[in-house]
Amino acid sequence: MKFGIVGDDSVATAVRAAGASVESEPADADAVVAVGESALSTVALGSEWTCPVVPVDCGAPWATPRRDLEARLSAFAAGDGRVVDHPTLSLRVGGDAVGRALLDAMLVTSEPAHISEYGVAHAEAAVPFSSDPPDESRAAARWTSVDEFRADGVVVATPLGSSGYARAAGGAVVGPAAGLAVVPVSPYATQTNSWVLQPPVRLSVERDDAPVSLVADDEVIREVSPSESVVVDRDGSVPMLVE
């Protein structure tokens, strides 16, 4: 079995110890070992690698610790692994594509110790994650309000990202085909809900209390005004090689 490596070439030792070879050409690799969240995002959201991904040291339950990599790759080389598709997300503001995310997208006040009011809505024609990515007709979906709340922000996490920031904010960890975890961040009320929703999901800023930023996978994309909304939708998937 031939493995590509992204993020840290030192894992080549584990690849060879597992009886596999290191492949530098993406088109010729059977799978790619992505070391760290940054490398995983590069592989998942880029177009260079199309083979299954083995995530390593990504700080989440679904990732392989580096110390277990040789044994895990040996099992994969013996045919014991399986491929699970995990969704990726597109972000649109006012109908324009502004970014993509593998783990999560968030609206959050740009200044510390400030709150704003946010709205969450879902489309009446929501499509399960197990379906093919939607076409542009989804942009005309009718929206049903889920809730409005005052908080520091609101995060929408994919199944891969649901064990990270969204979980720390009080959300559920969801499976690959379950949907999006939608969670208020530091809400003003003592009791608030979180949700698991099928895409697309619309986020909005309901009051002009403080500047609000759109953040995708820890990268600030742009500010969002109360006159704008952010539509978070599934735009594809990345195949993960797991036990």
Side-chain angles (χ1 to χ4, degrees):
M1 193 169 185
K2 296 180 290 186
F3 288 94
I5 297 173
V6 176
D8 185 351
D9 290 339
S10 69
V11 299
T13 302
V15 172
R16 296 188 177 98
S21 61
V22 176
E23 177 56 59
S24 60
E25 293 297 327
D28 296 330
D30 298 308
V32 55
V33 177
V35 185
E37 284 188 4
S38 177
L40 179 59
S41 292
T42 297
V43 171
L45 301 180
S47 59
E48 186 178 21
W49 298 91
T50 58
C51 55
V53 184
V54 181
V56 176
D57 283 354
C58 293
W62 38 263
T64 299
R66 189 185 297 250
R67 64 180 180 275
D68 298 334
L69 182 58
E70 180 183 336
R72 187 70 55 87
L73 295 182
S74 295
F76 293 156
D80 293 337
R82 59 190 177 92
V83 175
V84 177
D85 287 332
H86 280 271
T88 57
L89 300 178
S90 66
L91 309 175
R92 304 181 73 88
V93 177
D96 296 327
V98 296
R100 301 180 68 212
L102 173 66
L103 302 176
D104 54 43
M106 179 167 56
L107 286 180
V108 62
T109 50
S110 305
E111 301 174 3
H114 285 73
I115 65 173
S116 190
E117 185 168 333
Y118 300 92
V120 175
H122 70 90
E124 294 181 9
V127 175
F129 269 167
S130 56
S131 303
D132 290 333
D135 57 29
E136 292 301 319
S137 65
R138 289 273 292 277
R142 291 192 298 175
W143 299 98
T144 299
S145 176
V146 175
D147 203 356
E148 294 181 1
F149 47 86
R150 291 181 61 75
D152 285 357
V154 55
V155 59
V156 178
T158 65
L160 279 178
S162 64
S163 61
Y165 193 88
R167 183 182 185 186
V173 176
V174 298
L180 297 173
V182 183
V183 189
V185 176
S186 299
Y188 183 73
T190 55
Q191 291 186 335
T192 56
N193 294 320
S194 61
W195 308 270
V196 176
L197 302 174
Q198 295 294 333
V201 173
R202 187 182 70 184
L203 307 178
S204 56
V205 183
E206 299 298 323
R207 294 176 60 169
D208 190 13
D209 290 338
V212 172
S213 296
L214 172 62
V215 180
D217 290 348
D218 292 330
E219 178 183 352
V220 177
I221 302 298
R222 52 163 290 182
E223 285 198 351
V224 176
S225 70
S227 62
E228 299 175 312
S229 60
V230 179
V231 175
V232 183
D233 206 351
R234 176 179 183 263
D235 73 344
S237 62
V238 55
M240 297 281 182
L241 188 57
V242 299
E243 283 189 317

